[in-house]
């Protein structure tokens, strides 16, 4: 009984980190939830540690933690904050005295006048909806099939996972060979590369987002499959046995027994998918530089830097929109994750 | 129902169902590989042939010419070298710095530990574009005469190493602190009582125990940093200085006139990551699931 509760806690209460460790690496301590009482004891020994530290040790520790923290804060958080401040200014980038405070002007322009902004928001949203509705369930389905201890499981896994290892930029090039209107695979097979029958998968604003999304889903499926496989490995086998004893069929077992225990994995999958949808950039940039039909928030920000017009305040305002959406996802996720960790 | 083996027996699937499953999985796996196989097939054919007969046609001649041409014409070796100069220090530094933070956070009970870890983890989850505009300006403003070839952080390998380290250390600190927390406290406690210094606890006792996690992270980081397209695209202006992944984008416009050659070039850039993946598959996958909070 004790072992059973321990394993279930690992599956549900642990973060994806601990659950994954239990499934994949050979560190029993890493995966197993601590027996009751350890937390207290651990706290005590952590404090005990501190009492034994010399002044020199404290200094060394401060440097050890301080150097990486300063680097991370300076390049990630200070710049994120600078984005927020710059969003309320106009600046041509030459000298600091040209920075002028303009209040909400950039945002006003962005929301009201920029013809690319709302389409970009919409495309980011579509990106997320497609990823969560198509490749995610399919990845879960594949994971469930591959979890059945079948032969060649490794071979299948590798095939599905291969796209995740390859860079998004490279994937962009590979899929252009399929979508290219003149020389691509699809049009060559369907005869749409002849005049009059032409289908422009990359240039047509009605089609190109969906074409890119197929390539993105191709990659996302393998990623989700691996996350779910790790989640499934931490499902207690006795649960399956019990449900088989009760006469449940495969679907009933999955729906009522396995899927509920995958909750921590589902949370991670949801967060990963939202973040991926917000980060989407490389694939689209290689495809058509985010021209007509494939605008994304990330592309709009980047165009302000490497494009011909460098409107720093304006670009920062778009970045702030991206930041606000991201934080709305990241903060609740981290609160939940870290609260569990504290308890564990 | 009385025997315990019964449920196990009942779960043993019927043969036809298994065969059907294999057919399904094999078919899907093949479909999954199809885009890559198509790229390989295209890359193996000369442009003259495909432009005359079309891409969907029986090949007269398959050769590795496109691969050698792409490799030589575009001086790919040079760009692989650029990547190496960026990725090796970036991976090592990230692991070194993030393991120190993780050690600090997980082995001691200082007041701001949780907040510190939160800051690191959240930072890694941000989309890169959130920080790029000020970062780009910062890199342009930072003068480093004599240290980098460009005289600035901008357009230098050092600049890319720094941002990779800053960004990825968030993820690694999170994973490693989880890992270190699972190590028994008695280990370091005994050493501490014996008078070992904090540095020694970290370097000689904790780090060696973290080898599996470090190996997994090293694999993952090398693939991520190798695959980076965005940072290099924005923070490097000279084509010559670009790492291979973003260089290909330039090259495909500058040197490559036919899609077959682009296919060959793209596949060549994928080879190192595929090699790392096939050699270190275990580490890679365990790293990914070790802290799957990563986007």
């Amino acid at each position: 009984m004790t072992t059973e509760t321990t394993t279930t806690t690992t599956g549900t209460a642990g973060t994806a980190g601990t659950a994954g460790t239990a499934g994949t690496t050979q560190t029993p301590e890493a995966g197993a939830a601590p027996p009751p009482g350890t937390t207290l004891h651990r706290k005590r020994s952590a404090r005990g540690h501190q009492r034994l530290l010399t002044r020199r040790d404290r200094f060394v520790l401060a440097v050890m933690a301080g150097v990486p923290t300063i680097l991370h804060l300076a390049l990630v958080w200070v710049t994120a904050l600078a984005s927020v401040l710059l969003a309320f200014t106009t600046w041509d980038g030459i000298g600091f005295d040209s920075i002028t405070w303009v209040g909400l002007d950039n945002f006003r322009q962005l929301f009201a006048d920029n013809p690319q902004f709302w389409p970009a928001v919409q495309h980011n949203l579509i990106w997320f909806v497609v990823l969560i509705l198509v490749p995610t369930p399919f990845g879960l389905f594949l994971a469930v099939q591959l979890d059945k201890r079948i032969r060649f499981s490794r071979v299948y896994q590798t095939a599905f996972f291969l796209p995740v290892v390859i860079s998004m930029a490279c994937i962009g090039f590979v899929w252009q060979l399929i979508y290219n209107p003149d020389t691509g695979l699809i049009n060559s097979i369907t005869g749409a590369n002849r005049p009059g029958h032409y289908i422009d998968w990359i240039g047509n604003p009605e089609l190109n987002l969906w074409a890119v999304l197929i390539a993105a889903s191709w990659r996302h499926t393998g990623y989700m499959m691996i996350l779910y496989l790790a989640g499934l490995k931490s499902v207690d086998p006795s649960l399956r046995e019990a449900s088989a004893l009760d006469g449940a069929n495969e679907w009933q077992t999955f729906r009522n027994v396995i899927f509920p225990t995958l909750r921590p994995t589902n949370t991670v999958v949801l967060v990963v998918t939202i973040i991926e949808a917000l980060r989407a950039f490389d694939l689209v940039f290689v495809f058509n530089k985010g021209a007509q039909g494939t605008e994304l928030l990330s592309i709009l920000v980047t165009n302000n830097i490497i494009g011909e017009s460098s409107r720093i305040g304006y670009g920062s305002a778009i970045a702030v929109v991206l930041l606000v959406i991201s934080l709305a996802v990241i903060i609740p996720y981290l609160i939940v994750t870290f609260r569990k960790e504290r308890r564990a | 129902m009385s025997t315990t083996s019964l449920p196990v027996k009942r779960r043993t699937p019927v043969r036809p169902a298994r065969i059907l499953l294999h057919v399904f999985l094999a078919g899907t796996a093949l479909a999954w590989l199809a885009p890559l196989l198509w790229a390989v097939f295209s890359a193996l054919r000369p442009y003259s042939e495909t432009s005359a007969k079309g891409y969907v046609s029986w090949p007269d001649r398959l050769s590795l010419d496109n691969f050698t041409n792409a490799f030589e014409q575009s001086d790919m070796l040079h760009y692989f070298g650029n990547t190496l100069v960026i990725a090796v220090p970036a991976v090592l530094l990230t692991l070194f710095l993030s393991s120190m933070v993780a050690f600090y956070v997980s082995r001691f009970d200082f007041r701001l530990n949780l907040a510190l870890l939160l800051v690191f983890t959240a930072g890694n989850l941000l989309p890169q574009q959130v920080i790029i505009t000020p970062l780009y300006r910062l890199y342009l403003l930072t003068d480093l005469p004599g240290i980098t070839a460009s005289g600035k952080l901008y357009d230098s390998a050092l600049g890319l190493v720094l941002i990779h380290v800053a960004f990825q250390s968030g993820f690694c600190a999170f994973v490693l602190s989880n890992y270190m927390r699972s190590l028994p406290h008695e280990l370091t406690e005994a050493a501490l009582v014996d008078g070992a210094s904090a540095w020694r606890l970290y370097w000689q006792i904790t780090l060696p125990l973290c080898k599996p996690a470090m190996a997994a992270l090293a694999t993952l980081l090398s693939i991520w940093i190798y695959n980076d397209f965005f940072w290099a695209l924005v923070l490097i202006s000279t084509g010559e200085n670009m790492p291979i992944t973003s260089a290909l984008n330039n090259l495909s416009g500058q040197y490559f006139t036919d899609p077959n050659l682009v296919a060959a070039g793209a596949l060549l850039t994928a080879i190192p990551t595929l090699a790392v993946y096939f050699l270190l598959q275990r580490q890679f996958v365990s790293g990914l699931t070790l802290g799957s909070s990563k986007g």
Side-chain angles (χ1 to χ4, degrees), chain A:
Chain A
M1 192 57 213
T2 331
T3 36
E4 198 185 310
T5 24
T6 319
T7 350
T8 0
T9 357
T10 323
T12 44
T15 54
T18 36
T21 327
T24 39
T25 50
Q26 267 87 44
T27 43
E29 321 94 320
T38 325
T39 330
L40 238 176
H41 171 66
R42 191 194 282 160
K43 268 263 159 63
R44 217 187 318 123
S45 33
R47 295 251 165 75
H49 266 149
Q50 250 146 289
R51 272 204 311 275
L52 290 166
L53 291 174
T54 62
R55 191 170 291 172
R56 205 185 117 100
D57 281 338
R58 281 173 188 274
F59 175 73
V60 170
L61 278 173
V63 174
M64 283 170 70
V67 172
T69 307
I70 289 169
L71 184 70
H72 181 78
L73 284 179
L75 292 186
V76 177
W77 287 106
V78 173
T79 46
L81 194 70
S83 265
V84 177
L85 291 178
L86 286 173
F88 298 98
T89 64
T90 63
W91 184 24
D92 55 15
I94 308 154
F96 285 114
D97 11 316
S98 65
I99 303 181
T100 17
W101 191 261
V102 293
L104 289 169
D105 260 14
N106 289 325
F107 291 98
R108 212 171 288 137
Q109 265 188 59
L110 194 60
F111 296 146
D113 291 336
N114 189 314
Q116 289 182 308
F117 178 72
W118 290 112
V121 172
Q122 201 189 347
H123 295 157
N124 272 109
L125 195 68
I126 292 176
W127 200 286
F128 165 69
V129 171
V130 169
L131 287 191
I132 204 77
L133 288 184
V134 185
T136 305
F138 191 54
L140 171 60
F141 176 73
L142 289 175
V144 170
Q145 303 311 316
L146 290 169
D147 195 44
K148 289 179 182 166
R149 293 170 188 280
I150 53 166
R151 287 176 74 186
F152 314 122
S153 173
R154 258 291 160 74
V155 180
Y156 298 137
Q157 271 183 50
T158 306
F160 298 127
F161 196 67
L162 223 47
V164 187
V165 183
I166 299 170
S167 72
M168 278 291 210
C170 185
I171 288 175
F173 285 109
V174 167
W175 279 82
Q176 273 183 8
L177 299 170
I178 293 170
Y179 287 132
N180 191 297
D182 297 313
T183 58
L185 179 65
I186 301 178
N187 282 6
S188 299
I189 287 179
T190 57
N193 55 351
R194 283 175 291 127
H197 299 261
Y198 214 67
I199 305 175
D200 190 352
W201 299 100
I202 297 170
N204 185 339
E206 304 272 301
L207 294 176
N208 52 15
L209 183 69
W210 305 103
V212 182
L213 277 170
I214 289 177
S217 301
W218 177 65
R219 181 180 185 273
H220 202 67
T221 302
Y223 192 4
M224 297 299 106
M225 178 198 75
I226 287 291
L227 295 187
Y228 276 120
L229 263 176
L232 285 169
K233 272 187 192 145
S234 62
V235 173
D236 188 352
S238 64
L239 281 176
R240 289 175 204 264
E241 244 163 68
S243 85
L245 259 177
D246 288 344
N249 65 27
E250 207 182 325
W251 169 245
Q252 286 168 326
T253 307
F254 175 77
R255 222 194 68 164
N256 301 322
V257 181
I258 310 294
F259 192 71
T261 62
L262 285 177
R263 236 185 91 180
T265 312
N266 283 330
T267 313
V268 171
V269 159
L270 183 69
V271 172
V272 163
T273 308
I274 296 175
I275 300 284
E276 290 261 295
L278 291 170
R279 275 189 182 167
F281 174 81
D282 302 8
L283 192 58
V284 165
F285 191 86
V286 169
F287 242 67
N288 64 356
K289 298 214 161 32
Q292 284 244 301
T294 51
E295 296 92 346
L296 292 169
L297 288 173
S298 61
I299 297 265
L300 298 190
V301 177
T302 312
N303 280 349
N304 267 286
I305 302 164
I306 53 175
E308 55 276 24
S309 66
S310 176
R311 298 171 65 192
I312 295 163
Y314 198 59
S316 300
I318 307 169
V320 168
V321 174
L322 205 51
L323 175 69
V324 169
I325 305 174
S326 316
L327 287 180
V329 180
I330 295 170
I331 291 173
Y333 169 67
L334 288 183
I335 288 175
V336 171
T337 310
F338 277 76
R339 195 177 286 158
K340 271 180 196 152
E341 217 150 82
R342 270 254 141 135
R343 239 186 282 137

Side-chain angles (χ1 to χ4, degrees), chain B residues 94-116:
Chain B
T94 307
L95 288 177
F96 181 58
L97 293 181
S98 59
S99 63
M100 291 200 297
V101 174
F103 174 72
Y104 179 88
V105 169
S106 63
R107 303 310 276 185
F108 301 96
D109 203 30
F110 292 116
R111 224 173 306 141
L112 287 171
N113 275 357
L114 199 69
L116 191 64

Side-chain angles (χ1 to χ4, degrees), chain B residues 136-154:
Chain B
Y136 173 78
R137 288 290 143 193
L138 180 74
Y139 271 36
L140 276 175
L141 286 169
T142 314
D143 283 317
L144 297 172
I147 299 177
T148 62
S150 60
K152 293 183 182 306
L153 260 188
Y154 180 64

Side-chain angles (χ1 to χ4, degrees), chain B residues 52-177:
Chain B
K53 294 174 64 181
Y55 275 79
V56 184
S57 58
W58 194 252
D60 295 331
R61 196 173 69 87
L62 295 176
S63 74
L64 293 174
D65 289 354
N66 283 322
F67 289 98
T68 49
N69 285 347
F71 193 78
E72 280 160 12
Q73 258 186 49
S74 58
D75 197 12
M76 260 191 191
L77 210 55
H78 168 81
Y79 297 102
F80 279 123
N82 286 352
T83 292
L84 213 60
V85 169
I86 293 160
V88 172
V91 171
L92 294 178
L93 261 176
T94 307
L95 288 177
F96 181 58
L97 293 181
S98 59
S99 63
M100 291 200 297
V101 174
F103 174 72
Y104 179 88
V105 169
S106 63
R107 303 310 276 185
F108 301 96
D109 203 30
F110 292 116
R111 224 173 306 141
L112 287 171
N113 275 357
L114 199 69
L116 191 64
L117 197 56
L118 263 169
V119 162
F120 269 92
T121 316
N124 180 253
L125 289 170
L126 290 178
Q128 287 93 319
Q129 282 82 5
V130 166
I131 64 172
I132 193 63
T133 311
L135 191 74
Y136 173 78
R137 288 290 143 193
L138 180 74
Y139 271 36
L140 276 175
L141 286 169
T142 314
D143 283 317
L144 297 172
I147 299 177
T148 62
S150 60
K152 293 183 182 306
L153 260 188
Y154 180 64
D155 201 23
S156 73
L158 179 67
L160 283 190
V161 170
L162 285 180
I163 189 60
H164 281 308
V165 173
F167 207 73
Q168 302 291 8
S169 58
F171 173 69
C172 295
F174 175 72
V175 171
L176 285 172
S177 72

